[in-house]
């Protein structure tokens, strides 16, 4: 017999509907789902914490509690990113521990714990805490393909997780690229080596091989397979629950689940799927077997495309595709899952645009210093030197990264008291610690839901749809963004006219601005423009090396600065990029505010 772990309330709608399903969409079907007898049901964690407070004006803790009350018979599970919890940076133990305790209290029974680098030191505290509060700890390894990620290595890691006290173990194939042979090999290897707790295989339908992989996994003795009820399955989501149940019917792996109940669920979720039709993407539903060749997860590929487009370098796509495995090897083969996929991807883009290891974002430096955890393969001395300089040994840590972080619990409790939103509810402290800005805005009641339920389903050319699709799926202009917004359909509507161009006249670059009256302003270097921003070269001007947003300005007018001092930090492709002083001097003028967009070559400040 195999059992199923159901994904429709977390991974499935995160993969296909931008995590937009609401509690009200879930509740009417809970009683039916609760009768199926799933091994566990994933309802929380991952993006289901961030999206509700950011976009839906919903409290994630309340959702969890409500779902538990509606499904008392089904173990509810969350996806927990070890010391990153439900975000992408490390938190101290005094945030991780209460988070898990409160999740358990509000109705989470099972915790699937994983670390992007499979660093067991990052998983230890979460696993122990789950055990302390009486939960089910599922230790999870991220599946990836590299010379150091052998079947034997994965088997060893799974056995280690079992020794650490896990109640079950899991292979997490987040990119949907596990081959049937490897699925069989790892599970059989674990069982043959005496692995004694249930083993679970999590995959996505990306490659199109998932049915074969599940068959081979079952043959190897796999205990649990991850699936999603069919209307929100397939493609970048998981394999369809009903199909897997039917495929195993009458075999030694028969789940014993009632197909009529599941068909009832299917009918219900067809309506939910339709309600969110403004988020449907053909590309996400189709299999993409190319992942079995280049091994780069789909989400990472589309990020690379949009990041290159932001830097006006869309034509460098193939070079970046070739550079990515090179960077990954130099960084010790991290699995490509957030946040390490971001580090590898952006570094590959930087290497192609500016020369190899010439421009290095702070996140790459932190990774190399060991602040994400230990790299799967050692990093060479040459790479250490290129990234951190000759004194690299002073900067590299060999302890658990979270040991370097100060406690935060009391600080964030203080923040809530100061902001007068402290309601004697510990959950709010954790929400604020994990998402300081968005969390506080939500708790103050200032969060605006992006649309209200009565507006659904939205027209596919509704402006809200366009904004959301644009921010969430920048890679897909072909589906939605070609559809004109209603206000721009009028001929000559302002939204359609670009107002700034970089043009070349006789080989000289000119910046051309089109004013709203239709006249041209052509500027050719020279002093500051009336708006206060210089339009050309300024003596002692510090220029932005790339396009991004101004994240932090570290100096003020009148400050004297040293050569090499960090003047400002740009946010480029969601990563931090230092802007340093090329020579010593005094800050005479600053032309950009924090939060402003910055173009490549734009003058940030003047230093004389
Ligand atoms: Co997944």
């Amino acid at each position: 017999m195999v059992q199923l772990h159901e994904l429709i309330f977390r991974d499935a709608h995160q993969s296909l509907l931008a995590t937009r399903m609401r509690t009200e969409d879930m509740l009417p079907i809970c009683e039916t789902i609760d009768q199926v007898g799933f091994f566990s049901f994933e309802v929380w964690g991952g993006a289901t914490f961030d999206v509700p407070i950011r976009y839906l004006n919903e409290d994630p803790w309340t959702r969890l509690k409500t779902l538990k009350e509606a499904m008392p018979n089904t173990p509810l599970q969350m996806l927990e990113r070890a010391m990153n919890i439900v975000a992408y940076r490390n938190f101290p133990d005094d945030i991780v521990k209460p988070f898990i305790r409160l999740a358990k209290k509000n109705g989470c029974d099972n915790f699937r714990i994983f670390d992007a680098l499979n660093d067991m030191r990052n998983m230890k505290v979460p696993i122990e805490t789950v055990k302390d509060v009486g939960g089910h700890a599922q230790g999870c390894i991220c599946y990836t393909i590299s010379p150091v990620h052998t079947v034997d290595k994965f088997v060893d890691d799974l056995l280690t997780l079992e020794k650490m006290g896990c109640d079950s173990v899991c292979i997490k194939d987040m990119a949907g690229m596990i081959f049937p042979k490897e699925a069989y090999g790892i599970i059989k290897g674990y069982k043959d080596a005496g692995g004694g707790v249930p083993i679970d295989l999590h995959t996505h339908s990306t490659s199109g091989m998932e049915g074969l992989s599940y068959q081979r996994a079952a043959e190897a003795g796999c205990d649990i397979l991850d699936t999603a009820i069919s209307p929100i399955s397939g493609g970048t989501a998981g394999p369809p629950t009903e199909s897997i149940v039917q495929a195993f019917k009458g075999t030694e792996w028969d789940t014993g689940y009632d197909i009529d109940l599941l068909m009832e669920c299917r009918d219900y979720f067809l309506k939910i799927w339709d309600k969110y039709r403004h988020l449907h993407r053909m590309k996400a539903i189709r299999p993409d077997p190319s992942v079995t060749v280049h091994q780069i997860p789909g989400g990472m590929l589309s990020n690379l495309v949009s990041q290159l487009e932001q830097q006006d370098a869309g034509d460098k796509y193939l070079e970046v595709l070739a550079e990515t495995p090179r960077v990954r090897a130099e960084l010790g083969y991290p699995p490509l899952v957030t946040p390490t996929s971001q580090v590898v991807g952006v570094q590959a883009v930087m290497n192609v645009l500016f020369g190899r290891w010439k421009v290095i974002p702070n996140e790459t430096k932190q990774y190399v210093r060991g602040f994400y955890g230990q790299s799967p393969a050692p990093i060479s001395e040459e790479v250490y030197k290129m990234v951190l300089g000759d004194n690299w040994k002073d900067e590299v840590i060999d302890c658990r990264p979270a040991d370097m972080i100060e406690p935060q619990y009391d600080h964030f409790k203080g923040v809530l008291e100061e902001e007068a939103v402290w309601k004697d509810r510990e959950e709010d402290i954790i929400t604020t610690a994990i998402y300081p800005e968005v969390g506080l805005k939500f708790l103050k009641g200032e969060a605006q839901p992006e649309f209200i339920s009565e507006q659904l389903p939205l027209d596919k050319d509704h402006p809200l749809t366009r904004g959301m699709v644009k921010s969430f799926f920048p890679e897909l202009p072909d589906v939605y963004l070609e559809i004109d917004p209603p206000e721009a359909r009028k001929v000559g509507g302002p939204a359609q006219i670009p107002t700034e161009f970089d043009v070349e006249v006789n080989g000289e670059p000119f910046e051309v601005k089109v004013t709203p009256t239709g006249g041209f302003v052509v500027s050719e270097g020279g002093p500051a423009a009336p708006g206060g921003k210089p339009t050309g070269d300024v003596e002692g001007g510090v220029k932005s090396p790339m396009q991004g947003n101004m994240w932090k300005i570290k100096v003020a007018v009148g400050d004297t600065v040293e050569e090499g001092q960090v003047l400002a930090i740009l946010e480029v492709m969601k990563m931090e990029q230092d802007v340093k002083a090329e020579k010593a001097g005094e800050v005479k003028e600053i032309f950009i505010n924090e939060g402003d967009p910055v173009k490549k070559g734009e003058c940030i400040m003047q230093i004389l």
Side-chain angles (χ1 to χ4, degrees):
M1 186 183 97
V2 296
Q3 289 185 281
L4 301 184
H5 169 64
E6 174 58 45
L7 301 166
I8 198 157
F9 284 177
R10 206 288 299 173
D11 191 307
H13 74 114
Q14 183 173 327
S15 299
L16 292 179
L17 297 176
T19 333
R20 291 310 201 273
M21 216 198 280
R22 289 145 186 248
T23 308
E24 65 185 49
D25 302 322
M26 301 174 176
L27 288 175
I29 196 67
C30 283
E31 201 187 322
T32 311
I33 294 182
D34 201 33
Q35 296 169 49
V36 175
F38 286 116
F39 177 82
S40 48
F41 187 12
E42 191 162 281
V43 301
W44 219 54
T48 67
F49 199 94
D50 179 15
V51 172
I53 55 171
R54 197 182 290 268
Y55 298 111
L56 308 177
N57 197 21
E58 251 197 48
D59 186 88
W61 303 96
T62 307
R63 175 185 290 182
L64 179 58
K65 198 163 189 285
T66 312
L67 290 176
K68 187 69 227 183
E69 283 160 10
M71 292 181 286
N73 303 309
T74 306
L76 300 187
Q77 178 163 301
M78 77 163 293
L79 180 70
E80 205 271 342
R81 295 181 182 124
M83 300 309 288
N84 293 348
I85 311 181
V86 287
Y88 299 112
R89 62 184 196 283
N90 283 317
F91 292 93
D93 291 348
D94 79 334
I95 300 296
V96 174
K97 288 179 182 176
F99 175 89
I100 289 171
R101 172 168 50 78
L102 293 167
K104 177 75 174 68
K105 185 186 123 193
N106 280 284
C108 185
D109 306 288
N110 295 18
F111 294 76
R112 174 174 291 172
I113 299 160
F114 80 98
D115 176 68
L117 292 170
N118 296 328
D119 186 333
M120 300 294 158
R121 298 170 309 170
N122 288 336
M123 296 170 73
K124 189 169 179 283
V125 166
I127 292 171
E128 285 172 0
T129 311
V130 169
K131 298 308 300 169
D132 285 349
V133 299
H136 174 117
Q138 181 175 79
C140 186
I141 50 155
C142 292
Y143 178 76
T144 187
I145 300 173
S146 92
V148 293
H149 291 95
T150 58
V151 166
D152 289 347
K153 170 69 179 146
F154 284 128
V155 170
D156 276 355
D157 283 349
L158 291 169
L159 292 167
T160 304
L161 288 169
E162 185 181 335
K163 281 198 200 84
M164 288 165 76
C166 290
D167 302 285
S168 62
V169 291
C170 175
I171 306 163
K172 176 181 163 69
D173 173 28
M174 58 277 168
M177 63 184 180
I178 196 164
F179 283 64
K181 183 169 158 262
E182 272 70 28
Y184 182 88
I186 297 170
I187 295 162
K188 187 80 170 50
Y190 172 72
K191 295 278 178 181
D192 287 351
V197 297
I199 184 164
D200 183 331
L201 176 60
H202 174 85
T203 191
H204 291 250
S205 300
T206 319
S207 73
M209 301 190 298
E210 73 284 3
L212 290 166
S213 295
Y214 274 12
Q215 175 66 38
R216 291 296 281 155
E219 287 166 13
C222 192
D223 302 281
I224 310 149
L225 294 167
D226 286 17
T227 60
I229 294 165
S230 61
I232 312 182
S233 76
T236 56
T241 305
E242 307 92 297
S243 311
I244 301 296
V245 166
Q246 290 297 81
F248 286 139
K249 203 174 168 62
T251 72
E252 60 187 284
W253 306 292
D254 199 327
T255 60
Y257 298 165
D258 180 349
I259 190 67
D260 293 336
L261 279 178
L262 291 170
M263 286 297 154
E264 229 178 274
C265 296
R266 172 177 158 80
D267 289 346
Y268 177 80
F269 285 112
L270 281 170
K271 284 180 235 144
I272 299 298
W273 174 249
D274 188 56
K275 177 177 172 185
Y276 291 96
R277 61 182 176 238
H278 60 288
L279 293 168
H280 296 181
R281 301 177 297 156
M282 218 33 226
K283 196 174 152 185
I285 303 163
R286 255 188 222 133
D288 178 7
S290 71
V291 71
T292 62
V293 179
H294 54 59
Q295 295 151 16
I296 300 175
M300 185 176 164
L301 274 185
S302 38
N303 268 339
L304 288 177
V305 171
S306 73
Q307 284 156 354
L308 279 170
E309 276 167 6
Q310 273 171 36
Q311 302 298 325
D312 285 330
D315 57 324
K316 298 280 201 302
Y317 178 66
L318 291 177
E319 280 173 67
V320 172
L321 211 56
E323 176 68 8
T324 301
R326 238 178 124 186
V327 171
R328 182 172 176 239
E330 285 166 314
L331 293 178
Y333 297 106
L336 297 176
V337 58
T338 321
T340 45
S341 54
Q342 184 75 4
V343 171
V344 172
V346 172
Q347 191 60 56
V349 170
M350 296 296 186
N351 286 1
V352 167
L353 295 184
F354 302 101
R356 304 205 80 238
W357 300 102
K358 291 281 181 285
V359 173
I360 302 168
N362 290 342
E363 283 81 355
T364 307
K365 292 179 188 165
Q366 285 297 82
Y367 171 86
V368 170
R369 286 181 189 122
F371 279 85
Y372 288 73
Q374 196 173 27
S375 57
I379 296 172
S380 72
E381 197 167 325
E382 192 194 346
V383 172
Y384 274 125
K385 274 188 187 161
M386 281 192 296
V387 175
L388 301 177
D390 288 341
N391 297 326
W392 61 272
K393 278 185 185 156
D394 302 339
E395 294 188 33
V396 174
I397 60 164
D398 61 2
C399 62
R400 185 184 72 129
D403 289 335
M404 306 293 288
I405 314 171
E406 295 291 319
Q408 294 173 1
Y409 187 92
D410 292 339
H411 167 76
F412 283 103
K413 187 176 180 202
V415 169
L416 293 186
E417 283 164 351
E418 254 168 54
E419 300 281 344
V421 286
W422 173 239
K423 294 191 189 111
D424 212 15
R425 186 177 183 248
E426 227 188 332
E427 285 85 347
D428 295 342
I429 300 175
I430 305 301
T431 303
T432 316
I434 298 175
Y435 289 104
E437 264 172 52
V438 181
L440 205 54
K441 199 172 158 193
F442 169 76
L443 293 172
K444 284 179 176 173
E446 292 166 5
Q448 290 290 330
E450 58 195 353
F451 43 71
I452 55 165
S453 292
E454 286 73 53
Q455 289 173 279
L456 290 171
L458 297 179
D459 254 14
K460 64 183 185 300
D461 56 357
H462 190 284
L464 286 172
T465 302
R466 291 172 48 82
M468 182 163 52
V469 171
K470 199 171 183 176
S471 64
F472 252 80
F473 308 115
E475 78 279 15
L476 266 195
D478 46 326
V479 176
Y480 287 108
L481 301 181
E482 277 174 12
I483 302 164
D484 293 344
E487 70 271 24
R489 288 213 181 110
K490 297 167 225 141
V491 177
Q496 295 300 326
I497 301 178
T499 54
E500 290 184 21
F501 306 88
D502 283 320
V503 296
E504 235 179 59
V505 179
N506 300 332
E508 291 292 310
F510 281 77
E511 189 182 79
V512 178
K513 280 189 182 158
V514 183
T515 66
T517 55
F520 278 103
V521 177
V522 181
S523 59
E524 186 193 343
K533 282 188 186 183
T535 53
D537 280 338
V538 171
E539 194 191 349
V542 178
K543 288 183 179 175
S544 172
M546 55 200 91
Q547 160 135 347
N549 277 293
M550 182 50 71
W551 170 240
K552 282 208 166 79
I553 294 172
K554 311 281 276 186
V555 292
V557 172
D559 285 0
T560 48
V561 297
E562 303 289 322
E563 185 188 328
Q565 184 176 334
V566 177
L567 302 169
I569 305 174
L570 292 171
E571 187 244 276
V572 180
M573 301 179 237
K574 296 182 195 154
M575 312 273 272
E576 292 178 13
Q577 187 63 53
D578 289 343
V579 179
K580 291 180 179 170
E582 280 175 19
K583 57 182 176 55
E586 188 188 327
V587 180
K588 292 289 180 196
E589 209 168 338
I590 297 174
F591 305 112
I592 307 243
N593 297 315
E594 286 184 0
D596 284 354
V598 183
K599 282 183 290 179
K600 185 181 172 182
E602 189 167 348
C603 194
I604 297 172
M605 61 183 74
Q606 185 184 34
I607 293 177
L608 289 173

